[in-house]
């Protein structure tokens, strides 16, 4: 039997589980693992500037391509605690990532050794499993189980903590005989699918709500096929955006209090039945449940059995992997169609598209300083259907979701439930690493951008090009808007007069200088007609220099973005709405007045 260090065995398992890239920051307690990584030579490593950044890079890497599992690596103590935010973000959105940390020697774990912290206990609430391996011989089994858990059921992250002496201990391990464990997924039965379709057949105005679980299961094509067979309009959730193209005749728009379309909310409120697949009825999607559920029936399909009935009790629930369920949905629908038993939904589907053509928000403003809506309008012109958008939270993300267009699954990569500021830059780097051939465009407000700004240097060092659109109003805009209800405007102002850049006025941080200092390119835009040329120039610079390129748009200080605090029937539309086609020239459908 071959002998090798436990660290080398772990690296050999990573290779055989399909890992090609890792993100991390070395340190004393994880150096034996890094030595094994170097000796193997088959796994590329990207050196982050912050360990939290490495965890978000791993998330972006996973989210970009079906089957990917991002790996992030750090030393003992603060490296693990820094990565907790990434683990929380991953488990909240059902994203499998593997976090590997170094640890003090086993004999020192109870002696307050330098950087010895019980990271497994800290990480347990935000992982599917978190283990400090105390016996070197257990390392292969722990890693094998980690990949099994990450892929099985509802996907999610795992943390493995390796004491330095465990890493260095030689064990018996034969990589050539290693095999991954079978992945467990619950499967719907034929009877369950037939009952669910029975609800669909009895309804007059059905909708499908398609969530991120459909994308995780790589089942988007099946969902579109089922929708087309039955003529059922589809509401993608924020995490499911791109399952079917925005311009598809069955795309009924997004629903919610924030990242929603006027027509999406109107379509949901007109429905009488909703089939939810791979979604979790997130509160910012549903709003007031009494409004959301009134006068309509629900069937819910989810890979996690305990998710069924968690938010509200559906009329029927099915515990199933989305792909397995949709294969049966398609099979039964084809049989019903062949037998002439599928009702004609064309009038209902057409009515959803009529709302799409009439209920629009205005994007075309010529104001200086610029309104953010104009930025998204010009982004729609500059960035085509192949673009992958990456963003996290804030007014920039909410407005972007309301006004941008997405045409393919995994082309809107958004940290949904956790929403940590600073996520966007490292996640975009992870996405661009996973798929360097597809254009990546990140979107940030100024505060999200400043949280993990140092990670741009990773893009410069490792030649990872992408375009980053930075909308700058020198405000914590979403928090300022939320404070209106308390009649305060407190500790949300970021403006100051920068003594080194007086031309900025009160906009404070000179992002162009900082970005250039980190080895990247930057363009500042102050007028709306400069936006499109700047985006085109940014694409050229990214291609030429192979680094991140930032386009900073200087906005008006205060803009209130459409959103509600109660039900989806009570969204505050702060700005003038579109009343003629020129008000929303890049809308999916030309406005009907």
């Amino acid at each position: 039997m071959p002998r090798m260090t436990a660290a080398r065995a772990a690296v050999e398992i990573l290779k055989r589980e399909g890992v090609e890239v890792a993100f991390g920051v070395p340190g004393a307690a994880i150096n034996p693992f890094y030595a094994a990584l170097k000796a193997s030579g088959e796994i590329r490593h990207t050196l982050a500037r912050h360990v939290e950044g490495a965890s978000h890079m791993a998330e972006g890497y996973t989210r970009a391509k079906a089957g990917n599992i991002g790996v992030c690596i750090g030393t003992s103590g603060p490296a693990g605690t820094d990565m907790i935010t990434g683990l929380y973000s991953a488990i909240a959105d059902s994203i499998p990532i593997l976090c590997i940390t170094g640890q003090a020697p086993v004999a020192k774990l109870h002696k307050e050794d330098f950087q010895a912290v019980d990271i497994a206990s800290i990480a347990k609430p935000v992982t599917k499993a978190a283990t400090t391996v105390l016996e070197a011989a257990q390392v292969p089994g722990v890693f094998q189980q980690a990949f099994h858990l990450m892929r099985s059921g509802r996907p999610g992250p795992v943390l493995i903590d390796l004491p330095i002496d465990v890493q260095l201990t030689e064990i018996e391990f034969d990589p050539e005989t290693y095999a991954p464990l079978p992945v467990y997924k619950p499967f719907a039965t034929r009877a369950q699918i037939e009952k669910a379709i029975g609800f669909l057949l009895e309804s007059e105005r059905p909708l499908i709500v398609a969530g991120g679980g459909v994308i995780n299961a790589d089942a988007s094509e099946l969902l579109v096929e089922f929708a087309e067979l039955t003529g059922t309009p589809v509401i993608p959730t924020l995490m499911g955006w791109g399952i079917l193209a925005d311009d598809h005749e069955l795309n009924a728009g997004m629903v919610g209090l924030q990242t929603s379309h006027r027509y999406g909310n109107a379509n949901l409120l007109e429905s009488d039945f909703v089939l939810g697949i791979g979604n979790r009825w997130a509160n910012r999607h549903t709003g007031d449940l009494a409004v959301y559920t009134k006068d309509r029936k629900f069937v819910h399909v989810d890979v996690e059995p305990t998710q069924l009935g968690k938010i509200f009790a559906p009329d029927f629930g099915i515990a199933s992997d989305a792909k397995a369920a949709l294969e049966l949905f398609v099979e039964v629908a084809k049989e019903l169609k062949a037998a002439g038993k599928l009702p004609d939904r064309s009038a209902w589907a057409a009515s959803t598209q009529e709302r799409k053509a009439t209920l629009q928000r205005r994007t075309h403003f010529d104001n200086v300083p610029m309104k953010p809506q104009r930025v998204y309008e010009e982004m729609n012109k500059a960035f085509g259907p192949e673009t992958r958008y990456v963003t996290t939270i804030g007014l920039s993300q909410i407005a972007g979701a309301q006004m941008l267009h997405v045409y393919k699954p995994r082309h809107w990569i958004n940290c949904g439930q956790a929403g940590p500021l600073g996520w966007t830059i490292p996640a975009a780097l992870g996405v661009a690493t996973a798929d360097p051939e597809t254009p990546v465009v990140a979107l940030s407000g100024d505060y999200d951008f400043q949280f993990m700004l140092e990670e741009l240097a990773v893009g410069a060092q490792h030649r990872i090009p992408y375009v980053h659109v930075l909308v700058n109003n020198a405000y914590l805009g979403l928090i300022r808007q939320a404070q209106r209800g308390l009649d305060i405007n407190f500790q949300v102002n970021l403006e100051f007069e920068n003594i080194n850049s007086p031309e900025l006025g009160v906009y404070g941080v000179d992002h162009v200088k900082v970005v250039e200092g980190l080895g990247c390119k930057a363009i500042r835009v102050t007028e709306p007609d400069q936006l499109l040329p700047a985006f085109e120039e940014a694409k050229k610079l990214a291609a030429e220099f192979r680094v991140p390129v930032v386009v900073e748009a200087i906005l008006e200080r205060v803009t209130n973005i459409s959103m509600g605090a109660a039900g989806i029937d009570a969204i505050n539309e702060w700005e003038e709405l579109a009343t003629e086609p020129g008000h929303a020239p890049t809308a999916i459908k030309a406005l009907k007045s």
Side-chain angles (χ1 to χ4, degrees):
M1 177 77 78
R3 288 185 63 82
M4 62 187 68
T5 66
R8 182 59 187 262
V11 170
E12 293 298 324
I13 291 172
L14 293 184
K15 287 157 46 179
R16 284 156 179 79
E17 292 283 359
V19 174
E20 298 177 352
V21 178
F23 307 88
V25 178
I30 195 64
N31 272 342
F33 184 87
Y34 269 88
L37 205 62
K38 183 178 186 299
S40 167
E42 294 180 38
I43 296 176
R44 287 191 295 126
H45 182 272
T46 298
L47 176 63
R49 293 301 190 271
H50 191 295
V51 197
E52 181 186 341
S55 68
H56 298 325
M57 289 174 201
E59 282 186 82
Y61 183 85
T62 295
R63 293 174 192 243
K65 186 178 179 182
N68 276 7
I69 290 185
V71 175
C72 50
I73 308 168
T75 190
S76 57
T81 57
D82 283 343
M83 288 192 277
I84 292 297
T85 301
L87 292 169
Y88 163 40
S89 167
I91 199 165
D93 289 346
S94 305
I95 304 299
I97 66 171
L98 178 61
C99 177
I100 301 169
T101 54
Q103 181 59 276
V106 172
K108 299 290 184 70
L109 291 180
H110 65 294
K111 295 185 177 182
E112 299 185 6
D113 207 43
F114 177 67
Q115 291 189 337
V117 66
D118 187 358
I119 192 63
S121 294
I122 295 170
K124 269 186 169 63
V126 290
T127 55
K128 293 187 75 173
T131 306
T132 297
V133 186
L134 302 179
E135 297 291 340
Q138 288 186 297
V139 165
V142 170
F143 273 79
Q144 186 180 40
Q145 183 189 43
F147 282 93
H148 169 72
L149 288 172
M150 284 187 286
R151 295 182 175 124
S152 293
R154 181 179 179 180
V158 168
L159 178 139
I160 299 176
D161 187 42
L162 298 173
I164 188 169
D165 53 335
V166 168
Q167 295 174 58
L168 289 166
T169 299
E170 284 200 349
I171 61 171
E172 306 279 354
F173 178 67
D174 183 3
E176 299 306 317
T177 61
Y178 178 85
L181 292 174
V183 174
Y184 166 74
K185 301 279 187 186
F187 288 84
T189 67
R190 171 87 184 203
Q192 289 171 330
I193 297 303
E194 288 177 347
K195 181 168 181 174
I197 287 185
F199 284 93
L200 180 72
L201 297 179
E202 292 167 3
S203 65
E204 295 181 2
R205 300 177 304 282
L207 289 173
I208 297 169
V209 169
V214 175
I215 292 177
N216 284 350
D218 200 24
S220 299
E221 290 183 5
L222 284 168
L223 187 134
V224 174
E225 184 178 4
F226 177 66
E228 291 175 344
L229 280 167
T230 58
T232 308
V234 177
I235 298 282
T237 68
L238 184 66
M239 302 306 294
W241 196 10
I243 285 172
L244 78 171
D246 274 2
D247 59 359
H248 193 289
E249 286 300 313
L250 290 174
N251 188 314
M254 286 196 290
V255 168
L257 297 178
Q258 294 181 342
T259 55
S260 61
H261 302 113
R262 294 178 65 212
Y263 51 86
N265 284 345
N267 284 327
L268 190 285
L269 292 169
E270 285 293 319
S271 69
D272 63 357
F273 169 69
V274 176
L275 169 60
I277 304 179
N279 65 307
R280 59 182 180 85
W281 311 117
N283 68 307
R284 293 190 180 186
H285 166 81
T286 64
D288 183 350
L289 289 173
V291 173
Y292 189 85
T293 61
K294 184 180 179 183
D295 298 329
R296 56 191 59 88
K297 292 183 178 180
F298 289 84
V299 169
H300 190 198
V301 180
D302 197 272
V303 72
E304 172 53 51
T306 63
Q307 199 72 26
L308 303 174
K310 187 178 222 178
I311 309 301
F312 61 86
D315 295 273
F316 185 53
I318 301 173
S320 177
D321 169 69
K323 190 169 192 175
L326 281 163
E327 286 172 345
L328 281 175
F329 272 120
V330 168
E331 179 182 305
V332 174
K334 284 181 176 178
E335 293 172 7
L336 290 169
K337 185 173 183 178
K341 294 181 179 179
L342 286 178
D344 182 1
R345 303 291 190 201
S346 58
W348 161 237
S351 75
T352 67
Q353 299 306 301
E354 183 70 16
R355 294 182 191 92
K356 199 173 195 175
T358 54
L359 299 174
Q360 297 180 7
R361 296 184 173 109
R362 182 169 180 169
T363 60
H364 195 79
F365 296 93
D366 292 323
N367 303 53
V368 178
M370 292 181 285
K371 285 187 175 293
Q373 291 88 343
R374 181 64 182 273
V375 178
Y376 307 113
E377 177 183 307
E378 301 299 330
M379 288 174 70
N380 284 331
K381 295 176 186 176
F383 305 119
E386 296 300 318
T387 303
R388 289 191 198 271
Y389 289 110
V390 182
T391 189
T392 178
I393 191 63
L395 287 186
S396 55
Q397 173 247 19
I398 293 168
Q402 292 176 7
M403 297 166 198
L404 294 174
H405 307 316
V406 176
Y407 298 88
K408 296 182 178 182
R410 301 183 187 272
H411 280 231
W412 174 263
I413 296 182
N414 192 125
C415 177
Q417 200 253 44
L421 289 169
W423 188 87
T424 308
I425 293 174
L429 292 168
V431 170
T433 298
D435 183 6
E437 302 307 314
T438 301
V440 174
V441 175
L443 172 63
S444 290
D446 44 300
Y447 214 41
D448 170 49
F449 190 76
Q450 290 174 21
F451 257 56
M452 301 203 78
L453 185 62
E454 75 284 344
E455 299 307 316
L456 285 174
V458 176
Q461 178 182 356
H462 293 276
R463 292 291 185 261
I464 308 172
Y466 77 93
V467 175
H468 202 124
V469 179
L470 163 60
V471 286
N472 181 9
N473 64 351
Y475 242 124
L476 297 183
L478 179 57
I479 309 308
R480 177 205 54 74
Q481 189 166 334
Q483 287 185 352
R484 290 174 58 95
L486 298 170
D487 196 26
I488 59 172
N489 189 334
F490 183 64
Q491 292 296 304
V492 290
N493 308 66
L494 299 175
E495 79 270 16
F496 64 93
E497 293 187 5
N498 188 330
I499 59 173
N500 299 304
S501 302
E503 69 276 11
L504 289 175
V506 299
Y507 282 81
V509 175
D510 190 331
H511 294 111
V512 170
K513 287 180 180 175
V514 176
V515 169
E516 289 177 344
L518 289 165
C520 302
K521 292 287 186 178
I523 305 167
R524 180 178 294 122
V525 178
T526 57
E527 297 184 11
D529 61 1
Q530 299 172 347
L531 285 165
L532 186 57
F535 293 146
E536 296 298 338
E537 178 66 13
K539 289 190 284 186
K540 293 177 184 175
L541 290 171
E544 179 182 357
F545 293 100
R546 310 299 296 170
V547 297
V549 180
V550 176
V551 179
E552 178 186 34
I554 302 296
L555 304 184
E556 62 185 9
R557 298 297 315 289
V558 173
T559 309
N560 291 314
I561 298 300
S562 304
M563 69 179 73
I568 59 172
D569 60 346
I571 304 300
N572 291 315
E573 300 289 350
W574 301 97
E575 295 285 350
E576 175 188 347
L577 296 172
T579 57
E580 58 185 63
H583 288 167
T586 61
I588 285 292
K589 285 188 175 291
L591 182 71
K592 289 184 180 179
S593 53

